Amino acid sequence: MRALALDGWGKPLVLKEIPKPEAAPGDVRVRIRATGLCHSDVHQWKGDWPTERALMESGGVTVLGHEGIGVVDAVGVGVSELAVGDRVGVPWMNYWCGGCEPCLTGYPHWCDRTRTTSVTVNGTYAEYATVSERAAVRVPASIPDDEAAPLLCAGVTAYGALRRLTTELRIPPGKWVAVVGAAGGLGHLGVQLAKAMGYRVVGVDVGADRVRFVESLGADMAVEAAAAPARVQELGGVHATVVFTPTLAGYGLAASLTRTVGGVVAVGIPDAREGPIPISPWALLSRGLRLVPTSVGVSHEFAELFDLYRAGRVRTHVDRHGTLADAPALLADMAGGRYVGRAVVTV
Ligand SMILES: [Zn+2]
Ligand SMILES: [Zn+2]
């Protein structure tokens, strides 16, 4: 099969023929039709995350991508609900066990025996990819491939993050929340989802074009990162900040925007070489600041997100389209902040 494969950390990805994967017991094989490009792909391509890098090396994983959508073309032994011809998404979470403590307490996102698309299993920058029947995402027919692909990571991750404002931080609708990195793949969906949940939203990004785009998404206030602390101070601070930006600067900004007894939802994963999150224990304790991590999403979160999508409360902005061969240039443009929303390529 044709795949865009890693050929050394940070070196140009190479379009080449590699063996087509088989559907193992419990898995389905999907003929990928389109895949979204995630900022995580950039970090994985460069080898910025030591844990993922080691897992990819030990597992021989060379194909990035975890926002794949396509059609089931083979089913493994024991698959009972999906059949050849079903349209599904291949997300970041390739498998969770359903039986470990994180799974049983409602957090399969941190399953002890998880498998991860593009980290422990080859990803979706290829004609075929495999996923467990449990983790394969049933996507409503009314959402076209290019709009659906970015929902498989960006959408569900943004949804899961915003959901924690009510489930974990108990912030009622009507309160102010800030979205840092509001023009990006996750952030642009995050702004719309926060509005759909009834919050008042400060969207923060860098550059006039990106701030204008954030305004067009319905943010109540759209502001440059440098101006954000002063503007947000006029509101008395926000009740929570969701950090989508994969840089430590985003976390530092979040701590300065968030009011006493507020919360910071951690989503963006910086290059490991940037070091730890710059929030002092003093800031946490003296201000009662709560830090809540979140990570992608599972079946019920997809279902809730798709409901909002079909109700017209959120729309994917696909800024760039291309083919698999265009993916390297599009990844470079994403790293440089040269487009808003998402890029999607056909396979
Ligand atoms: Zn992703
Ligand atoms: Zn588990």
Side-chain angles (χ1 to χ4, degrees):
M1 66 169 183
R2 223 161 27 90
L4 191 62
L6 199 67
D7 191 33
W9 305 112
K11 291 190 181 156
L13 298 173
V14 182
L15 205 52
K16 64 179 182 187
E17 286 290 322
I18 64 169
K20 193 196 275 194
E22 296 298 329
D27 285 0
V28 298
R29 183 175 65 197
V30 181
R31 172 63 177 94
I32 301 293
R33 295 197 301 222
T35 185
L37 272 52
C38 181
H39 205 284
S40 301
D41 303 346
V42 175
H43 285 300
Q44 286 181 260
W45 165 52
K46 292 183 177 169
D48 288 343
W49 297 339
T51 308
E52 278 68 21
R53 184 174 164 146
L55 285 168
M56 290 170 73
E57 276 171 346
S58 63
V61 170
T62 59
V63 182
L64 303 174
H66 52 269
E67 286 188 347
I69 185 152
V71 173
V72 173
D73 108 302
V75 299
V77 174
V79 168
S80 57
E81 287 173 21
L82 286 175
V84 170
D86 287 347
R87 180 182 184 235
V88 295
V90 180
W92 174 261
M93 285 181 70
N94 198 279
Y95 170 83
W96 65 90
C97 77
C100 68
E101 186 173 307
C103 280
L104 290 171
T105 53
Y107 298 99
H109 319 68
W110 290 283
C111 171
D112 290 344
R113 288 186 279 166
T114 186
R115 287 199 315 247
T116 308
T117 307
S118 80
V119 178
T120 59
V121 182
N122 267 334
T124 57
Y125 289 6
E127 286 180 300
Y128 296 88
T130 58
V131 61
S132 68
E133 182 180 31
R134 178 177 293 156
V137 182
R138 284 69 161 173
V139 183
S142 60
I143 309 177
D145 282 353
D146 65 335
E147 290 178 41
L151 300 180
L152 296 167
C153 176
V156 84
T157 303
Y159 181 76
L162 269 302
R163 202 173 177 275
R164 287 176 200 279
L165 297 179
T166 51
T167 59
E168 312 235 351
L169 294 170
R170 297 170 196 271
I171 297 166
K175 300 294 187 188
W176 283 98
V177 300
V179 173
V180 174
L186 282 79
H188 88 286
L189 295 164
V191 168
Q192 298 173 67
L193 289 165
K195 288 302 297 176
M197 291 175 188
Y199 294 109
R200 288 195 281 175
V201 179
V202 181
V204 183
D205 215 294
V206 175
D209 288 353
R210 296 177 76 84
V211 170
R212 265 195 301 277
F213 173 63
V214 173
E215 221 160 39
S216 77
L217 299 168
D220 299 278
M221 182 192 284
V223 62
E224 285 270 0
R231 291 286 306 281
V232 169
Q233 208 165 39
E234 292 165 17
L235 308 171
V238 292
H239 286 79
T241 304
V242 185
V243 183
F244 289 117
T245 308
T247 64
L248 281 189
Y251 286 89
L253 180 61
S256 72
L257 300 181
T258 309
R259 67 169 67 189
T260 298
V261 204
V264 174
V265 181
V267 190
I269 309 173
D271 181 337
R273 285 165 294 205
E274 283 201 53
I277 294 176
I279 298 177
S280 73
W282 182 86
L284 290 177
L285 296 168
S286 66
R287 295 170 50 206
L289 210 58
R290 289 163 292 163
L291 185 62
V292 178
T294 185
S295 174
V296 291
V298 290
S299 315
H300 71 95
E301 291 165 318
F302 276 111
E304 291 162 16
L305 170 64
F306 294 151
D307 270 351
L308 286 171
Y309 205 91
R310 286 189 293 186
R313 307 298 298 274
V314 56
R315 274 287 169 270
T316 311
H317 177 83
V318 184
D319 209 59
R320 301 279 186 91
H321 287 88
T323 65
L324 206 48
D326 300 318
L330 290 167
L331 286 175
D333 282 351
M334 173 164 43
R338 288 188 283 276
Y339 61 83
V340 295
R342 240 344 172 220
V344 175
V345 299
T346 51
V347 180

